Structures are given as structure tokens and as C-alpha cells.
Amino acid sequence: MDILHLNTCIKKKEISPVDVVKETLEKIYEKNPQTNAFITISEKEALESAKVLEKEMIEGKVRGPLHGIPIAVKDLIYTKGIKTTMGSKIYEHFIPSVDATVVEKLKQAGAIIIGKANTHEFAYGPIGDRSYFGACRNPYNLEKISGGSSSGSAAAVAANMVLASIGTDTGGSIRIPASACGVVGMKPTFGLVSKAGAFDLAYTLDHIGPITTNIKENALLLNIIAGFDPKDSYSIKDSQNTDYSRLIGKSVKGKTIGIAMNSYFTNLNKEVKDAFDKCVTIFKHLQANITEVVVPNIEEIADAQAVTIKAEASAVHADSLQSYQGNVDDEVYERLVASKEVKGYEYVQAQMNRNKLISNLNQLFNDVDILIVPTLPILPTDIGQREVTINHTSVSTQHALLKLTSPFNYTGNAALSIPIGMSKSGLPIGIQLIGKHGDEEKLYQFGYALESELGAS
């Protein structure tokens, strides 16, 4: 059952919000010991919210399209009265006194916060296996990573514990686990969804977005959480009253898709490449135009992203480095220490060049509607694995996971990962659809067209 169907059943009073929460809790208690997708299960708070929402239903009041629907929230997004740990021992007992703006919006739409999803500590890692509360495991193979840093957010949806979740993305942290776990993950345009009340990793790179089982539900969630927020200094003001689902179901015939031919994008695991090529064939069948493009300045963008995340993470965690060394995971701590090595002039230069690099990239979308690249060049790796081989070349797992996603955090472009198939070993593979700023509805249009064809094949 999906969100839209469940919402209809709730409205018709065929099932109550209390029953929905109880059934969801049963799934979580059954499956979470295997995946470790949740750090905190907010049973008491969820049941109390469900009772309120049930009473409102009886009285004829419907808050919105998520009325009575349980949602998981990444455990570095503040939830009033519910523990928020950042996946760290330092915040093991931290309970916020306020909700993040995105949580406020979910509650206004009738959502029930069922629990807090596991995260790579401080969200500073794309692997998802470094949390004080233990590694999050891939529901398709418990020995494999779920991807990070929104590891639990994706795993909870993939394991059918919840129908939707909210993650954050600083270098790929929504799209990476979405691909690894076979679900849909949207990194919206930078500033489209308020970051107020989310623990920072990198001020100018952090994004918040929805993770769901399908495109329609992802657009539904984005409609709810998007919008200007004066509490977020990076919030954009032209994000009101857009229906991000408005192009879903419309033909992509005659539309133009760009395939990145830079060598930066082409070193792929064979099964990933085969799945990607199948998607290109499907789009051709749908009579979209396929054109090869060179993404401008991609290496420079990737370098600037690396400088920016290091400098800003170092600033965020200056106190943690000084006061809590023994309480931070060794690997995360080492990465934070290495982040201090960025020189001030390097950071300034990366920001001075940013508008030019973004402008150059967006010019690409004068000739194509969207750009497509694989989300990940590799299949999900073993938990604890830190080196991976791609076509006889050994690279760090972290570098491989981040390579195709992180440049678009620096530029702030909208990017959507959707599942496109399974490897021979039964692991999910994803494709990434990238658009210019504000083109989320176009990404959903193309994503739905592909999703429909793959579902019919």
C-alpha cells in the first residue's frame, strides 16, 4: 500500500491513524534489529499524535495529504521532545525543544513522526556505517552498506518499515543511499527546502529532501516541505505555490536528454553501465532526443566542492574537535582533522568562482532538458570496506560513492535518484536525473516516465 492509497483509506475511515501507527510499529520492531535503520522509535509520541489525528478525522478535519501517515526523519533534524543524536555519542541524550521547519510542515500536513533514522556520525560520510549506534545495513543484503549519510532514512523505506522519510544531502547523502537501497531520493534546488532546525554539516552545501518508494509520493512530499522560510538565511523566495507533480504523466516525446561524456563520468562498474544503457534505450523508445554533452568545468566543480565541505565542516565542528575528541568515531574525527588543513584563500577562491561555475553548468540546460548519469559508479560495498576496484583501478570507497553526486551540491542543482534495476547479486542500481535550478517538476516528469516503463518491463 502506498501513501496515496493509505490516505484514501484513512479519509474513508476504513483504517484509523492509530491502527496505522500500530501496524507501522510492528514492522519496525520486527525489521529494525536486522537493518538498524532507526536510532529512536518514538512509539509514545506517535501513538499520542495518532489519537489526536483520529479525533480530528471523526470531527471532519483533515490536515492534509499525510493525515495519519507515519514518516521517519533523519536523526540530525530536530524533533521537539524526541531525541536527536546526530549519530554521535556527544548528543546521545540531546532532546530538542523545537521542531525543525521541515518537521513543522510535515505535522501541519498530518504526518506522524514515527522515529529518527540512523545516520553516519554528523552526516560526515557517504558510507553509512559509522554511527555511534552501529552501522545501518542494506535491506537487500545485510552485509552491505545502505549508503550514507542518510542511511537509515533510505533503509527504513526500502525495508517497508515506513512509506516515506526525510534525509539530508551535502555531497550525495540522499541520492547515495536511495540508489544503494533501491528507492527514490530527491535533492532539491539549494534553498528550496528550509534547513532551519537541521544540524549543519556544511552551510552552503546542505540540502533536505524526501525519500520514498515512487515518484508520485516523492513529489507529494516535496510539495509539503518546500517553501520560503525566514529562519533559514539560504531559503529562496521564489519557491511558493509550485506543484512539483504537475508534469507527472506527461510525455517526454521530443524532449532532450544529455548524456555526460566527460571521462569523469564514464568509469563504471559493468552492471551499472548496462543498467544505465538500458535506461537510455527506454528514453529513445519514448521518443526523447538523446545527445552526448560535455559537462563544463566538472573537475573544477568537484575540487571546489571538496574544499567547501572541508572548510565548512571544520567550522561547524571546531568545538567538537577541541572538547570531544574521545567521543567522536575515529574515522569521522580523522576526517574532521584533515578538514582543518584547508587554507583560507582556498575557501575564498572556491566561493569567488562559484557563480561562474554554476552559470557555466546551467548553460548546458539551454540545449538539454535534463542530464542523466548513474547515481553511483559501483554497487553497494561490504560494511567496513574502504577500497573498491572499478575496471582494475582501486579507489577509496568514499571517493567512489561521492564522485557522481557531490558536484551538484556545490552548484545547488536539483538532482533525483531513482532505482533502475538489480545487479546479478541482488543489489539495487540507481540513475541520477539532474536539472537546472528550480526544475524539480521536470525531473519528476522524466523520472515517472522511466519508472513506468521499468515497472511494465
mmCIF file with all atom_site columns, all heavy atoms in Angstrom, residues 267-284:
data_model
loop_
_atom_site.group_PDB
_atom_site.id
_atom_site.type_symbol
_atom_site.label_atom_id
_atom_site.label_alt_id
_atom_site.label_comp_id
_atom_site.label_asym_id
_atom_site.label_entity_id
_atom_site.label_seq_id
_atom_site.pdbx_PDB_ins_code
_atom_site.Cartn_x
_atom_site.Cartn_y
_atom_site.Cartn_z
_atom_site.occupancy
_atom_site.B_iso_or_equiv
_atom_site.pdbx_formal_charge
_atom_site.auth_seq_id
_atom_site.auth_comp_id
_atom_site.auth_asym_id
_atom_site.auth_atom_id
_atom_site.pdbx_PDB_model_num
ATOM 1   N N   . ASN A 1 267 ? 33.878 5.935  -15.917 1.00 0.00 ? 267 ASN A N   1
ATOM 2   C CA  . ASN A 1 267 ? 34.500 4.751  -15.326 1.00 0.00 ? 267 ASN A CA  1
ATOM 3   C C   . ASN A 1 267 ? 33.500 4.087  -14.379 1.00 0.00 ? 267 ASN A C   1
ATOM 4   O O   . ASN A 1 267 ? 33.366 4.479  -13.217 1.00 0.00 ? 267 ASN A O   1
ATOM 5   C CB  . ASN A 1 267 ? 35.785 5.122  -14.581 1.00 0.00 ? 267 ASN A CB  1
ATOM 6   C CG  . ASN A 1 267 ? 36.542 3.893  -14.101 1.00 0.00 ? 267 ASN A CG  1
ATOM 7   O OD1 . ASN A 1 267 ? 36.410 2.806  -14.665 1.00 0.00 ? 267 ASN A OD1 1
ATOM 8   N ND2 . ASN A 1 267 ? 37.319 4.060  -13.041 1.00 0.00 ? 267 ASN A ND2 1
ATOM 9   N N   . LEU A 1 268 ? 32.781 3.084  -14.894 1.00 0.00 ? 268 LEU A N   1
ATOM 10  C CA  . LEU A 1 268 ? 31.651 2.500  -14.182 1.00 0.00 ? 268 LEU A CA  1
ATOM 11  C C   . LEU A 1 268 ? 31.785 0.987  -14.066 1.00 0.00 ? 268 LEU A C   1
ATOM 12  O O   . LEU A 1 268 ? 32.326 0.319  -14.956 1.00 0.00 ? 268 LEU A O   1
ATOM 13  C CB  . LEU A 1 268 ? 30.339 2.801  -14.928 1.00 0.00 ? 268 LEU A CB  1
ATOM 14  C CG  . LEU A 1 268 ? 30.042 4.259  -15.302 1.00 0.00 ? 268 LEU A CG  1
ATOM 15  C CD1 . LEU A 1 268 ? 28.820 4.302  -16.212 1.00 0.00 ? 268 LEU A CD1 1
ATOM 16  C CD2 . LEU A 1 268 ? 29.825 5.101  -14.063 1.00 0.00 ? 268 LEU A CD2 1
ATOM 17  N N   . ASN A 1 269 ? 31.242 0.449  -12.984 1.00 0.00 ? 269 ASN A N   1
ATOM 18  C CA  . ASN A 1 269 ? 31.031 -0.985 -12.877 1.00 0.00 ? 269 ASN A CA  1
ATOM 19  C C   . ASN A 1 269 ? 30.190 -1.442 -14.068 1.00 0.00 ? 269 ASN A C   1
ATOM 20  O O   . ASN A 1 269 ? 29.252 -0.755 -14.484 1.00 0.00 ? 269 ASN A O   1
ATOM 21  C CB  . ASN A 1 269 ? 30.316 -1.264 -11.550 1.00 0.00 ? 269 ASN A CB  1
ATOM 22  C CG  . ASN A 1 269 ? 29.785 -2.675 -11.441 1.00 0.00 ? 269 ASN A CG  1
ATOM 23  O OD1 . ASN A 1 269 ? 28.758 -3.005 -12.025 1.00 0.00 ? 269 ASN A OD1 1
ATOM 24  N ND2 . ASN A 1 269 ? 30.468 -3.499 -10.674 1.00 0.00 ? 269 ASN A ND2 1
ATOM 25  N N   . LYS A 1 270 ? 30.500 -2.601 -14.632 1.00 0.00 ? 270 LYS A N   1
ATOM 26  C CA  . LYS A 1 270 ? 29.823 -3.044 -15.851 1.00 0.00 ? 270 LYS A CA  1
ATOM 27  C C   . LYS A 1 270 ? 28.318 -3.180 -15.671 1.00 0.00 ? 270 LYS A C   1
ATOM 28  O O   . LYS A 1 270 ? 27.533 -2.794 -16.559 1.00 0.00 ? 270 LYS A O   1
ATOM 29  C CB  . LYS A 1 270 ? 30.402 -4.372 -16.331 1.00 0.00 ? 270 LYS A CB  1
ATOM 30  C CG  . LYS A 1 270 ? 29.806 -4.828 -17.670 1.00 0.00 ? 270 LYS A CG  1
ATOM 31  C CD  . LYS A 1 270 ? 30.354 -6.163 -18.114 1.00 0.00 ? 270 LYS A CD  1
ATOM 32  C CE  . LYS A 1 270 ? 29.817 -6.518 -19.504 1.00 0.00 ? 270 LYS A CE  1
ATOM 33  N NZ  . LYS A 1 270 ? 28.342 -6.557 -19.544 1.00 0.00 ? 270 LYS A NZ  1
ATOM 34  N N   . GLU A 1 271 ? 27.885 -3.707 -14.539 1.00 0.00 ? 271 GLU A N   1
ATOM 35  C CA  . GLU A 1 271 ? 26.451 -3.861 -14.320 1.00 0.00 ? 271 GLU A CA  1
ATOM 36  C C   . GLU A 1 271 ? 25.755 -2.508 -14.196 1.00 0.00 ? 271 GLU A C   1
ATOM 37  O O   . GLU A 1 271 ? 24.620 -2.343 -14.644 1.00 0.00 ? 271 GLU A O   1
ATOM 38  C CB  . GLU A 1 271 ? 26.196 -4.719 -13.081 1.00 0.00 ? 271 GLU A CB  1
ATOM 39  C CG  . GLU A 1 271 ? 26.552 -6.187 -13.276 1.00 0.00 ? 271 GLU A CG  1
ATOM 40  C CD  . GLU A 1 271 ? 26.103 -7.046 -12.117 1.00 0.00 ? 271 GLU A CD  1
ATOM 41  O OE1 . GLU A 1 271 ? 24.964 -7.545 -12.136 1.00 0.00 ? 271 GLU A OE1 1
ATOM 42  O OE2 . GLU A 1 271 ? 26.899 -7.210 -11.165 1.00 0.00 ? 271 GLU A OE2 1
ATOM 43  N N   . VAL A 1 272 ? 26.440 -1.538 -13.615 1.00 0.00 ? 272 VAL A N   1
ATOM 44  C CA  . VAL A 1 272 ? 25.892 -0.182 -13.544 1.00 0.00 ? 272 VAL A CA  1
ATOM 45  C C   . VAL A 1 272 ? 25.760 0.394  -14.953 1.00 0.00 ? 272 VAL A C   1
ATOM 46  O O   . VAL A 1 272 ? 24.738 0.979  -15.311 1.00 0.00 ? 272 VAL A O   1
ATOM 47  C CB  . VAL A 1 272 ? 26.782 0.723  -12.667 1.00 0.00 ? 272 VAL A CB  1
ATOM 48  C CG1 . VAL A 1 272 ? 26.334 2.171  -12.770 1.00 0.00 ? 272 VAL A CG1 1
ATOM 49  C CG2 . VAL A 1 272 ? 26.757 0.256  -11.213 1.00 0.00 ? 272 VAL A CG2 1
ATOM 50  N N   . LYS A 1 273 ? 26.804 0.222  -15.767 1.00 0.00 ? 273 LYS A N   1
ATOM 51  C CA  . LYS A 1 273 ? 26.772 0.745  -17.134 1.00 0.00 ? 273 LYS A CA  1
ATOM 52  C C   . LYS A 1 273 ? 25.675 0.085  -17.951 1.00 0.00 ? 273 LYS A C   1
ATOM 53  O O   . LYS A 1 273 ? 24.958 0.765  -18.714 1.00 0.00 ? 273 LYS A O   1
ATOM 54  C CB  . LYS A 1 273 ? 28.118 0.550  -17.825 1.00 0.00 ? 273 LYS A CB  1
ATOM 55  C CG  . LYS A 1 273 ? 28.184 1.193  -19.218 1.00 0.00 ? 273 LYS A CG  1
ATOM 56  C CD  . LYS A 1 273 ? 29.523 1.015  -19.875 1.00 0.00 ? 273 LYS A CD  1
ATOM 57  C CE  . LYS A 1 273 ? 29.595 1.818  -21.166 1.00 0.00 ? 273 LYS A CE  1
ATOM 58  N NZ  . LYS A 1 273 ? 28.461 1.517  -22.100 1.00 0.00 ? 273 LYS A NZ  1
ATOM 59  N N   . ASP A 1 274 ? 25.520 -1.218 -17.806 1.00 0.00 ? 274 ASP A N   1
ATOM 60  C CA  . ASP A 1 274 ? 24.479 -1.920 -18.563 1.00 0.00 ? 274 ASP A CA  1
ATOM 61  C C   . ASP A 1 274 ? 23.092 -1.428 -18.176 1.00 0.00 ? 274 ASP A C   1
ATOM 62  O O   . ASP A 1 274 ? 22.221 -1.243 -19.038 1.00 0.00 ? 274 ASP A O   1
ATOM 63  C CB  . ASP A 1 274 ? 24.582 -3.430 -18.316 1.00 0.00 ? 274 ASP A CB  1
ATOM 64  C CG  . ASP A 1 274 ? 25.804 -4.057 -18.984 1.00 0.00 ? 274 ASP A CG  1
ATOM 65  O OD1 . ASP A 1 274 ? 26.433 -3.387 -19.836 1.00 0.00 ? 274 ASP A OD1 1
ATOM 66  O OD2 . ASP A 1 274 ? 26.144 -5.198 -18.616 1.00 0.00 ? 274 ASP A OD2 1
ATOM 67  N N   . ALA A 1 275 ? 22.864 -1.225 -16.890 1.00 0.00 ? 275 ALA A N   1
ATOM 68  C CA  . ALA A 1 275 ? 21.561 -0.718 -16.426 1.00 0.00 ? 275 ALA A CA  1
ATOM 69  C C   . ALA A 1 275 ? 21.322 0.698  -16.936 1.00 0.00 ? 275 ALA A C   1
ATOM 70  O O   . ALA A 1 275 ? 20.198 1.051  -17.340 1.00 0.00 ? 275 ALA A O   1
ATOM 71  C CB  . ALA A 1 275 ? 21.496 -0.761 -14.901 1.00 0.00 ? 275 ALA A CB  1
ATOM 72  N N   . PHE A 1 276 ? 22.388 1.514  -16.926 1.00 0.00 ? 276 PHE A N   1
ATOM 73  C CA  . PHE A 1 276 ? 22.281 2.879  -17.428 1.00 0.00 ? 276 PHE A CA  1
ATOM 74  C C   . PHE A 1 276 ? 21.950 2.872  -18.917 1.00 0.00 ? 276 PHE A C   1
ATOM 75  O O   . PHE A 1 276 ? 21.064 3.607  -19.384 1.00 0.00 ? 276 PHE A O   1
ATOM 76  C CB  . PHE A 1 276 ? 23.589 3.625  -17.170 1.00 0.00 ? 276 PHE A CB  1
ATOM 77  C CG  . PHE A 1 276 ? 23.604 5.037  -17.672 1.00 0.00 ? 276 PHE A CG  1
ATOM 78  C CD1 . PHE A 1 276 ? 23.014 6.056  -16.948 1.00 0.00 ? 276 PHE A CD1 1
ATOM 79  C CD2 . PHE A 1 276 ? 24.218 5.352  -18.889 1.00 0.00 ? 276 PHE A CD2 1
ATOM 80  C CE1 . PHE A 1 276 ? 23.017 7.363  -17.414 1.00 0.00 ? 276 PHE A CE1 1
ATOM 81  C CE2 . PHE A 1 276 ? 24.230 6.656  -19.358 1.00 0.00 ? 276 PHE A CE2 1
ATOM 82  C CZ  . PHE A 1 276 ? 23.626 7.660  -18.617 1.00 0.00 ? 276 PHE A CZ  1
ATOM 83  N N   . ASP A 1 277 ? 22.644 2.041  -19.676 1.00 0.00 ? 277 ASP A N   1
ATOM 84  C CA  . ASP A 1 277 ? 22.405 1.965  -21.124 1.00 0.00 ? 277 ASP A CA  1
ATOM 85  C C   . ASP A 1 277 ? 20.978 1.514  -21.424 1.00 0.00 ? 277 ASP A C   1
ATOM 86  O O   . ASP A 1 277 ? 20.361 1.974  -22.400 1.00 0.00 ? 277 ASP A O   1
ATOM 87  C CB  . ASP A 1 277 ? 23.404 1.004  -21.772 1.00 0.00 ? 277 ASP A CB  1
ATOM 88  C CG  . ASP A 1 277 ? 24.825 1.548  -21.796 1.00 0.00 ? 277 ASP A CG  1
ATOM 89  O OD1 . ASP A 1 277 ? 25.006 2.769  -21.589 1.00 0.00 ? 277 ASP A OD1 1
ATOM 90  O OD2 . ASP A 1 277 ? 25.764 0.751  -22.014 1.00 0.00 ? 277 ASP A OD2 1
ATOM 91  N N   . LYS A 1 278 ? 20.439 0.626  -20.584 1.00 0.00 ? 278 LYS A N   1
ATOM 92  C CA  . LYS A 1 278 ? 19.054 0.198  -20.759 1.00 0.00 ? 278 LYS A CA  1
ATOM 93  C C   . LYS A 1 278 ? 18.098 1.382  -20.618 1.00 0.00 ? 278 LYS A C   1
ATOM 94  O O   . LYS A 1 278 ? 17.126 1.506  -21.365 1.00 0.00 ? 278 LYS A O   1
ATOM 95  C CB  . LYS A 1 278 ? 18.708 -0.887 -19.734 1.00 0.00 ? 278 LYS A CB  1
ATOM 96  C CG  . LYS A 1 278 ? 17.263 -1.367 -19.812 1.00 0.00 ? 278 LYS A CG  1
ATOM 97  C CD  . LYS A 1 278 ? 16.949 -2.398 -18.721 1.00 0.00 ? 278 LYS A CD  1
ATOM 98  C CE  . LYS A 1 278 ? 15.489 -2.803 -18.768 1.00 0.00 ? 278 LYS A CE  1
ATOM 99  N NZ  . LYS A 1 278 ? 15.127 -3.778 -17.702 1.00 0.00 ? 278 LYS A NZ  1
ATOM 100 N N   . CYS A 1 279 ? 18.403 2.276  -19.668 1.00 0.00 ? 279 CYS A N   1
ATOM 101 C CA  . CYS A 1 279 ? 17.563 3.465  -19.470 1.00 0.00 ? 279 CYS A CA  1
ATOM 102 C C   . CYS A 1 279 ? 17.617 4.394  -20.690 1.00 0.00 ? 279 CYS A C   1
ATOM 103 O O   . CYS A 1 279 ? 16.598 4.974  -21.085 1.00 0.00 ? 279 CYS A O   1
ATOM 104 C CB  . CYS A 1 279 ? 17.997 4.218  -18.221 1.00 0.00 ? 279 CYS A CB  1
ATOM 105 S SG  . CYS A 1 279 ? 17.666 3.337  -16.704 1.00 0.00 ? 279 CYS A SG  1
ATOM 106 N N   . VAL A 1 280 ? 18.798 4.525  -21.260 1.00 0.00 ? 280 VAL A N   1
ATOM 107 C CA  . VAL A 1 280 ? 18.931 5.344  -22.473 1.00 0.00 ? 280 VAL A CA  1
ATOM 108 C C   . VAL A 1 280 ? 18.065 4.760  -23.587 1.00 0.00 ? 280 VAL A C   1
ATOM 109 O O   . VAL A 1 280 ? 17.357 5.492  -24.302 1.00 0.00 ? 280 VAL A O   1
ATOM 110 C CB  . VAL A 1 280 ? 20.412 5.416  -22.907 1.00 0.00 ? 280 VAL A CB  1
ATOM 111 C CG1 . VAL A 1 280 ? 20.528 6.134  -24.258 1.00 0.00 ? 280 VAL A CG1 1
ATOM 112 C CG2 . VAL A 1 280 ? 21.246 6.140  -21.854 1.00 0.00 ? 280 VAL A CG2 1
ATOM 113 N N   . THR A 1 281 ? 18.088 3.440  -23.719 1.00 0.00 ? 281 THR A N   1
ATOM 114 C CA  . THR A 1 281 ? 17.263 2.777  -24.732 1.00 0.00 ? 281 THR A CA  1
ATOM 115 C C   . THR A 1 281 ? 15.777 3.018  -24.484 1.00 0.00 ? 281 THR A C   1
ATOM 116 O O   . THR A 1 281 ? 15.001 3.257  -25.419 1.00 0.00 ? 281 THR A O   1
ATOM 117 C CB  . THR A 1 281 ? 17.544 1.257  -24.728 1.00 0.00 ? 281 THR A CB  1
ATOM 118 O OG1 . THR A 1 281 ? 18.926 1.040  -25.019 1.00 0.00 ? 281 THR A OG1 1
ATOM 119 C CG2 . THR A 1 281 ? 16.692 0.539  -25.754 1.00 0.00 ? 281 THR A CG2 1
ATOM 120 N N   . ILE A 1 282 ? 15.372 2.983  -23.223 1.00 0.00 ? 282 ILE A N   1
ATOM 121 C CA  . ILE A 1 282 ? 13.966 3.238  -22.877 1.00 0.00 ? 282 ILE A CA  1
ATOM 122 C C   . ILE A 1 282 ? 13.576 4.656  -23.268 1.00 0.00 ? 282 ILE A C   1
ATOM 123 O O   . ILE A 1 282 ? 12.500 4.889  -23.853 1.00 0.00 ? 282 ILE A O   1
ATOM 124 C CB  . ILE A 1 282 ? 13.723 2.998  -21.378 1.00 0.00 ? 282 ILE A CB  1
ATOM 125 C CG1 . ILE A 1 282 ? 13.796 1.497  -21.071 1.00 0.00 ? 282 ILE A CG1 1
ATOM 126 C CG2 . ILE A 1 282 ? 12.370 3.561  -20.947 1.00 0.00 ? 282 ILE A CG2 1
ATOM 127 C CD1 . ILE A 1 282 ? 13.738 1.169  -19.590 1.00 0.00 ? 282 ILE A CD1 1
ATOM 128 N N   . PHE A 1 283 ? 14.414 5.623  -22.958 1.00 0.00 ? 283 PHE A N   1
ATOM 129 C CA  . PHE A 1 283 ? 14.092 7.007  -23.315 1.00 0.00 ? 283 PHE A CA  1
ATOM 130 C C   . PHE A 1 283 ? 14.013 7.181  -24.828 1.00 0.00 ? 283 PHE A C   1
ATOM 131 O O   . PHE A 1 283 ? 13.184 7.950  -25.326 1.00 0.00 ? 283 PHE A O   1
ATOM 132 C CB  . PHE A 1 283 ? 15.121 7.966  -22.714 1.00 0.00 ? 283 PHE A CB  1
ATOM 133 C CG  . PHE A 1 283 ? 14.856 8.321  -21.271 1.00 0.00 ? 283 PHE A CG  1
ATOM 134 C CD1 . PHE A 1 283 ? 15.835 8.153  -20.307 1.00 0.00 ? 283 PHE A CD1 1
ATOM 135 C CD2 . PHE A 1 283 ? 13.628 8.836  -20.891 1.00 0.00 ? 283 PHE A CD2 1
ATOM 136 C CE1 . PHE A 1 283 ? 15.599 8.494  -18.979 1.00 0.00 ? 283 PHE A CE1 1
ATOM 137 C CE2 . PHE A 1 283 ? 13.369 9.184  -19.559 1.00 0.00 ? 283 PHE A CE2 1
ATOM 138 C CZ  . PHE A 1 283 ? 14.360 9.003  -18.612 1.00 0.00 ? 283 PHE A CZ  1
ATOM 139 N N   . LYS A 1 284 ? 14.862 6.476  -25.563 1.00 0.00 ? 284 LYS A N   1
ATOM 140 C CA  . LYS A 1 284 ? 14.769 6.516  -27.027 1.00 0.00 ? 284 LYS A CA  1
ATOM 141 C C   . LYS A 1 284 ? 13.440 5.934  -27.487 1.00 0.00 ? 284 LYS A C   1
ATOM 142 O O   . LYS A 1 284 ? 12.793 6.475  -28.400 1.00 0.00 ? 284 LYS A O   1
ATOM 143 C CB  . LYS A 1 284 ? 15.927 5.734  -27.648 1.00 0.00 ? 284 LYS A CB  1
ATOM 144 C CG  . LYS A 1 284 ? 17.284 6.420  -27.546 1.00 0.00 ? 284 LYS A CG  1
ATOM 145 C CD  . LYS A 1 284 ? 18.374 5.563  -28.171 1.00 0.00 ? 284 LYS A CD  1
ATOM 146 C CE  . LYS A 1 284 ? 19.734 6.238  -28.106 1.00 0.00 ? 284 LYS A CE  1
ATOM 147 N NZ  . LYS A 1 284 ? 20.816 5.373  -28.659 1.00 0.00 ? 284 LYS A NZ  1
#
